[in-house]
Amino acid sequence: MKTSNKISFATLVVAGAMTPLLGSVVDLQALQAGHASVIAAYTFEGERNATDGSGTWLAEKADAVGSNLIQNQLTATGPRYATQMAGFDNSTSCANMVALGNGSYGAGLKTEAALTYPSSGTIEYLVKFATGTTSAFVLTNQSGAGDTRMRFLTTNNVKAQMGIGDLTSHDLIGGSTDVDFILGDWYYVVQTWEIVGTTVTLNAWVADLTTSGDLTQTIVNASNPYGSSGAPTDTLLIGGANNGNRANCALDALSVYDEILTADTIAQHFNSITGIPEAASASLLLAFAALIPVLRRRRK
């Protein structure tokens, strides 16, 4: 059975007699870095040192209290680390993590200092999966002690999942959702969490940018047990290892917020990539907000 909420922006464009324009990841990154509640924003733009992979491309870019990224592992059978490559629309660069044969070499990147995760927050990014990864973490906190794990994105080369709190994971892309998991496609992802007492509630929205797919709510008010200590202060790992494997993926426009983004904000950010005309944004956002309460839950 597949369960998800789907909003077709293409339908809204046609209904409003609007002509789509070309947006860009640059536009999204500007919105992310300028948002009042952003904790950290990573664009992966800037200079990269070819010797050790360091440089300004790993710097936190928002005007907020955040943490730069650093290379986590520099050796495997030789120098191996996250590389800088062209992003979704070639207007930006992305971070590319290569899967290693031995997961003991750890994540590709990590925050230089711990992030203080909020009790109610959002993580937003673009991601692309490649072959060569099984049972790997893409985005997670380092310790994941007890029921305070922040496993935002894990993959097994067949689907992607989200699991915050205990070990219960929920399908994010592929699996029981209405968004196919396709290796080599770029996805826009927004995930939110809200910790109240010993329960965390999860929601997520995904769109396949490569196929111009709809923005689909693939996780709808899922609940997991959560440790009573509240959200952790911990290192964020990117391209992490699990069970002898490391993620083989690319990431771009990664931001973390200390609040749950509103429907208007999510729509605005998605529109900045898909290129819906700015002049129509106000009416489109109103239409989006009005649609949410009456979205039909699809069950197959």
Side-chain angles (χ1 to χ4, degrees):
M1 180 178 69
K2 294 185 176 183
T3 302
S4 59
N5 290 333
K6 188 179 293 288
I7 301 171
S8 173
F9 282 83
T11 301
L12 292 177
V13 170
V14 172
M18 295 180 282
T19 302
L21 301 178
L22 180 63
S24 74
V25 179
V26 171
D27 296 331
L28 171 62
Q29 290 174 340
L31 292 173
Q32 291 175 325
H35 197 279
S37 68
V38 68
I39 297 173
Y42 304 102
T43 67
F44 307 107
E45 301 299 315
E47 296 298 321
R48 178 181 178 276
N49 187 323
T51 301
D52 62 5
S54 64
T56 58
W57 76 294
L58 297 179
E60 194 279 315
K61 304 294 174 48
D63 184 17
V65 178
S67 175
N68 294 336
L69 296 172
I70 58 174
Q71 296 281 356
N72 190 40
Q73 291 291 335
L74 300 182
T75 60
T77 56
R80 298 291 295 273
Y81 38 73
T83 57
Q84 185 184 41
M85 299 181 66
F88 162 63
D89 58 9
N90 293 320
S91 69
T92 61
S93 300
C94 71
N96 186 66
M97 272 66 65
V98 179
L100 299 182
N102 187 334
S104 64
Y105 292 107
L109 299 170
K110 66 179 180 180
T111 51
E112 190 172 19
L115 295 180
T116 300
Y117 296 97
S119 294
S120 296
T122 304
I123 189 167
E124 177 184 38
Y125 53 89
L126 307 184
V127 65
K128 179 177 69 172
F129 306 100
T131 57
T133 299
T134 57
S135 186
F137 301 135
V138 178
L139 289 165
T140 184
N141 66 318
Q142 186 167 20
S143 65
D147 286 344
T148 61
R149 300 172 179 87
M150 306 289 283
R151 293 178 178 173
F152 302 109
L153 178 60
T154 64
T155 178
N156 60 7
N157 227 22
V158 175
K159 63 182 178 180
Q161 294 184 303
M162 177 184 187
I164 295 180
D166 69 357
L167 290 175
T168 303
S169 295
H170 303 274
D171 290 349
L172 176 68
I173 307 172
S176 62
T177 76
D178 280 342
V179 179
D180 292 334
F181 183 92
I182 302 174
L183 298 175
D185 280 11
W186 276 101
Y187 294 90
Y188 170 70
V189 182
V190 178
Q191 297 165 272
T192 70
W193 66 94
E194 183 176 21
I195 301 169
V196 178
T198 57
T199 300
V200 58
T201 301
L202 313 179
N203 285 280
W205 294 260
V206 177
D208 187 329
L209 297 176
T210 301
T211 62
S212 300
D214 300 331
L215 183 62
T216 301
Q217 186 171 3
T218 57
I219 298 177
V220 183
N221 294 326
S223 293
N224 280 356
Y226 194 87
S228 58
S229 58
T233 297
D234 203 355
T235 304
L236 175 66
L237 300 179
I238 300 176
N242 183 39
N243 296 333
N245 299 281
R246 198 179 80 176
N248 190 7
C249 62
L251 283 166
D252 200 359
L254 171 64
S255 289
V256 182
Y257 307 88
D258 66 1
E259 69 174 4
I260 294 176
L261 295 185
T262 66
D264 284 0
T265 298
I266 295 172
Q268 181 188 27
H269 287 197
F270 181 60
N271 294 349
S272 72
I273 307 173
T274 56
I276 290 178
E278 198 64 31
S281 61
S283 60
L284 181 61
L285 292 176
L286 289 174
F288 181 87
L291 261 173
I292 287 182
V294 295
L295 283 174
R296 179 169 62 89
R297 179 168 294 179
R298 295 176 46 147
R299 298 184 182 274
K300 294 184 179 181

